[in-house]
Amino acid sequence: MSLTLPDLPYAKDALEPYLSAKTLEFHHDKHHKAYVDNGNKLIAGTDLDKEDAEAIIKKVVGDASKAGIFNNAAQVWNHSFYWLCLKPKGGGRPTGEVAQKIDADFGSYQKFAEELKNAGVTQFGSGWAWLVLKDGKLAVTKTGNADTPIAHGIKPLLTVDVWEHAYYLDYQNRRPDYIQAVIDNLINWDFVNSRLK
Ligand code: MN
């Protein structure tokens, strides 16, 4: 099968106290896995069955008859990417190339952090907040439900999952507090810098 569930790149309790082991257990082992399993059922026996998530997303985007395949493949890709965007003792001001680009393209780290938080807070319903590279410049954007920048030819550098399942066990309805905790304590800037290379 072509959609696969990667292992988490850290222990389930590694992101505590900001994200609990319980949240990672449900989020990775139940939600992420369900997108993998459901997507694989939908592509079984079709010409998509040997493709990876990114190829499937690009092949079915915009095809209403394949919306179920798109949604599951995009959620598989988005979650695999999201896990890599987090790490224990992360967050705060970046270093390296992305730090310089944030100053150049947003004016300051503070301005960037406010924009990313605002994108996540104002995403109505489920979705994702993103830092992307578009036309050589950094930009903050948001997508609804399963939608993903890679379906639209835009390169993601960082994402924050703002579906309720990402934070409800730890933060209940306090989505802004969850996003702030990720920004201040969990962003894997080494990974973001590697995406810029
Ligand atoms: Mn999620």
Side-chain angles (χ1 to χ4, degrees):
M1 286 300 189
S2 59
L3 296 175
T4 55
L5 182 69
D7 290 336
L8 285 173
Y10 28 72
K12 286 208 175 71
D13 62 358
L15 305 183
E16 293 189 344
Y18 309 107
L19 288 175
S20 65
K22 200 62 151 175
T23 286
L24 264 62
E25 182 187 337
F26 274 90
H27 200 174
H28 177 270
D29 298 0
K30 306 290 184 190
H31 291 280
H32 191 175
K33 182 174 188 296
Y35 298 123
V36 173
D37 292 345
N38 291 333
N40 279 333
K41 277 182 203 156
L42 290 170
I43 61 173
T46 76
D47 61 349
L48 297 169
D49 149 313
K50 297 282 180 283
E51 307 280 0
D52 67 9
E54 183 165 355
I56 293 168
I57 289 164
K58 289 175 176 171
K59 281 190 176 174
V60 305
V61 59
D63 181 345
S65 73
K66 297 199 166 89
I69 294 174
F70 177 86
N71 286 336
N72 283 285
Q75 283 294 80
V76 169
W77 194 92
N78 289 348
H79 281 91
S80 298
F81 187 74
Y82 169 67
W83 303 127
L84 297 173
C85 292
L86 307 178
K87 71 166 193 176
K89 298 189 172 73
R93 288 175 184 277
T95 55
E97 187 181 356
V98 73
Q100 293 162 15
K101 280 194 78 64
I102 281 175
D103 285 344
D105 297 341
F106 292 97
S108 68
Y109 167 77
Q110 198 51 44
K111 186 79 176 15
F112 151 76
E114 283 165 18
E115 273 197 44
L116 184 66
K117 183 178 182 181
N118 189 53
V121 169
T122 60
Q123 170 55 38
F124 187 76
S126 297
W128 301 80
W130 304 87
L131 174 67
V132 300
L133 187 65
K134 191 179 176 189
D135 303 324
K137 287 203 156 206
L138 299 184
V140 163
T141 184
K142 58 189 175 182
T143 58
N145 297 315
D147 200 12
T148 179
I150 66 168
H152 310 286
I154 297 166
K155 182 171 186 171
L157 303 177
L158 164 69
T159 194
V160 183
D161 187 344
V162 298
W163 284 60
E164 279 191 345
H165 67 223
Y167 59 87
Y168 208 84
L169 293 175
D170 298 324
Y171 297 88
Q172 294 77 50
N173 62 321
R174 293 176 288 117
R175 187 191 286 187
D177 292 355
Y178 153 69
I179 298 170
Q180 192 66 54
V182 170
I183 291 171
D184 290 342
N185 305 286
L186 296 179
I187 292 175
N188 185 346
W189 287 116
D190 296 334
F191 175 69
V192 178
N193 268 312
S194 77
R195 293 283 296 171
L196 274 175
K197 296 274 183 291

